[in-house]
PDB file of all heavy atoms in Angstrom:
ATOM      1  N   PHE A 284     178.088  61.563  30.733  1.00 93.00           N
ATOM      2  CA  PHE A 284     178.971  60.595  31.373  1.00 93.00           C
ATOM      3  C   PHE A 284     178.311  59.222  31.509  1.00 93.00           C
ATOM      4  O   PHE A 284     178.990  58.195  31.461  1.00 93.00           O
ATOM      5  CB  PHE A 284     179.447  61.103  32.731  1.00 93.00           C
ATOM      6  CG  PHE A 284     180.677  61.947  32.644  1.00 93.00           C
ATOM      7  CD1 PHE A 284     180.598  63.336  32.654  1.00 93.00           C
ATOM      8  CD2 PHE A 284     181.924  61.358  32.515  1.00 93.00           C
ATOM      9  CE1 PHE A 284     181.738  64.116  32.548  1.00 93.00           C
ATOM     10  CE2 PHE A 284     183.069  62.121  32.397  1.00 93.00           C
ATOM     11  CZ  PHE A 284     182.981  63.507  32.417  1.00 93.00           C
ATOM     12  N   VAL A 290     179.639  52.636  27.755  1.00 97.00           N
ATOM     13  CA  VAL A 290     180.491  52.132  26.679  1.00 97.00           C
ATOM     14  C   VAL A 290     181.817  51.609  27.233  1.00 97.00           C
ATOM     15  O   VAL A 290     182.321  50.572  26.784  1.00 97.00           O
ATOM     16  CB  VAL A 290     180.726  53.226  25.616  1.00 97.00           C
ATOM     17  CG1 VAL A 290     181.859  52.829  24.671  1.00 97.00           C
ATOM     18  CG2 VAL A 290     179.458  53.447  24.819  1.00 97.00           C
ATOM     19  N   LEU A 311     178.333  49.029  10.842  1.00 98.00           N
ATOM     20  CA  LEU A 311     178.444  49.298   9.409  1.00 98.00           C
ATOM     21  C   LEU A 311     179.742  50.032   9.076  1.00 98.00           C
ATOM     22  O   LEU A 311     180.373  49.767   8.051  1.00 98.00           O
ATOM     23  CB  LEU A 311     177.232  50.111   8.951  1.00 98.00           C
ATOM     24  CG  LEU A 311     175.929  49.303   8.877  1.00 98.00           C
ATOM     25  CD1 LEU A 311     174.718  50.225   8.828  1.00 98.00           C
ATOM     26  CD2 LEU A 311     175.941  48.383   7.661  1.00 98.00           C
ATOM     27  N   VAL A 313     182.590  49.842  10.785  1.00 97.00           N
ATOM     28  CA  VAL A 313     183.683  48.882  10.947  1.00 97.00           C
ATOM     29  C   VAL A 313     183.738  47.932   9.746  1.00 97.00           C
ATOM     30  O   VAL A 313     184.817  47.596   9.248  1.00 97.00           O
ATOM     31  CB  VAL A 313     183.512  48.103  12.269  1.00 97.00           C
ATOM     32  CG1 VAL A 313     184.452  46.920  12.338  1.00 97.00           C
ATOM     33  CG2 VAL A 313     183.756  49.038  13.455  1.00 97.00           C
ATOM     34  N   THR A 340     162.063  49.137  27.295  1.00 98.00           N
ATOM     35  CA  THR A 340     160.846  48.530  27.820  1.00 98.00           C
ATOM     36  C   THR A 340     160.933  48.374  29.337  1.00 98.00           C
ATOM     37  O   THR A 340     159.956  48.616  30.062  1.00 98.00           O
ATOM     38  CB  THR A 340     160.593  47.172  27.157  1.00 98.00           C
ATOM     39  OG1 THR A 340     160.480  47.352  25.741  1.00 98.00           O
ATOM     40  CG2 THR A 340     159.316  46.524  27.690  1.00 98.00           C
ATOM     41  N   GLU A 384     175.018  64.856  13.429  1.00 98.00           N
ATOM     42  CA  GLU A 384     175.028  63.401  13.495  1.00 98.00           C
ATOM     43  C   GLU A 384     176.064  62.811  12.544  1.00 98.00           C
ATOM     44  O   GLU A 384     176.765  61.854  12.893  1.00 98.00           O
ATOM     45  CB  GLU A 384     173.638  62.842  13.186  1.00 98.00           C
ATOM     46  CG  GLU A 384     172.609  63.103  14.270  1.00 98.00           C
ATOM     47  CD  GLU A 384     172.953  62.456  15.595  1.00 98.00           C
ATOM     48  OE1 GLU A 384     173.537  61.359  15.591  1.00 98.00           O
ATOM     49  OE2 GLU A 384     172.655  63.055  16.643  1.00 98.00           O
ATOM     50  N   ILE A 385     176.181  63.362  11.352  1.00 98.00           N
ATOM     51  CA  ILE A 385     177.193  62.869  10.409  1.00 98.00           C
ATOM     52  C   ILE A 385     178.591  63.106  10.963  1.00 98.00           C
ATOM     53  O   ILE A 385     179.430  62.199  11.013  1.00 98.00           O
ATOM     54  CB  ILE A 385     177.040  63.559   9.039  1.00 98.00           C
ATOM     55  CG1 ILE A 385     175.734  63.120   8.356  1.00 98.00           C
ATOM     56  CG2 ILE A 385     178.237  63.239   8.140  1.00 98.00           C
ATOM     57  CD1 ILE A 385     175.437  63.866   7.068  1.00 98.00           C
ATOM     58  N   ALA A 389     181.136  60.225  12.586  1.00 98.00           N
ATOM     59  CA  ALA A 389     182.405  60.000  11.900  1.00 98.00           C
ATOM     60  C   ALA A 389     183.581  60.124  12.870  1.00 98.00           C
ATOM     61  O   ALA A 389     184.508  59.305  12.857  1.00 98.00           O
ATOM     62  CB  ALA A 389     182.553  61.002  10.754  1.00 98.00           C
ATOM     63  N   ILE A 419     181.076  63.674  22.805  1.00 97.00           N
ATOM     64  CA  ILE A 419     180.061  63.812  21.761  1.00 97.00           C
ATOM     65  C   ILE A 419     178.734  64.243  22.370  1.00 97.00           C
ATOM     66  O   ILE A 419     178.039  65.115  21.832  1.00 97.00           O
ATOM     67  CB  ILE A 419     179.926  62.485  20.990  1.00 97.00           C
ATOM     68  CG1 ILE A 419     181.129  62.297  20.060  1.00 97.00           C
ATOM     69  CG2 ILE A 419     178.615  62.426  20.200  1.00 97.00           C
ATOM     70  CD1 ILE A 419     181.217  60.913  19.441  1.00 97.00           C
ATOM     71  N   GLN A 450     160.390  61.692  13.311  1.00 98.00           N
ATOM     72  CA  GLN A 450     161.726  62.222  13.037  1.00 98.00           C
ATOM     73  C   GLN A 450     162.819  61.163  13.149  1.00 98.00           C
ATOM     74  O   GLN A 450     163.996  61.458  12.892  1.00 98.00           O
ATOM     75  CB  GLN A 450     162.032  63.368  14.006  1.00 98.00           C
ATOM     76  CG  GLN A 450     161.089  64.551  13.870  1.00 98.00           C
ATOM     77  CD  GLN A 450     161.464  65.704  14.779  1.00 98.00           C
ATOM     78  OE1 GLN A 450     162.381  65.618  15.592  1.00 98.00           O
ATOM     79  NE2 GLN A 450     160.757  66.823  14.636  1.00 98.00           N
TER      80      GLN A 450
END
Side-chain angles (χ1 to χ4, degrees):
F284 273 99
V290 167
L311 287 163
V313 169
T340 301
E384 290 298 326
I385 292 174
I419 286 170
Q450 298 184 355

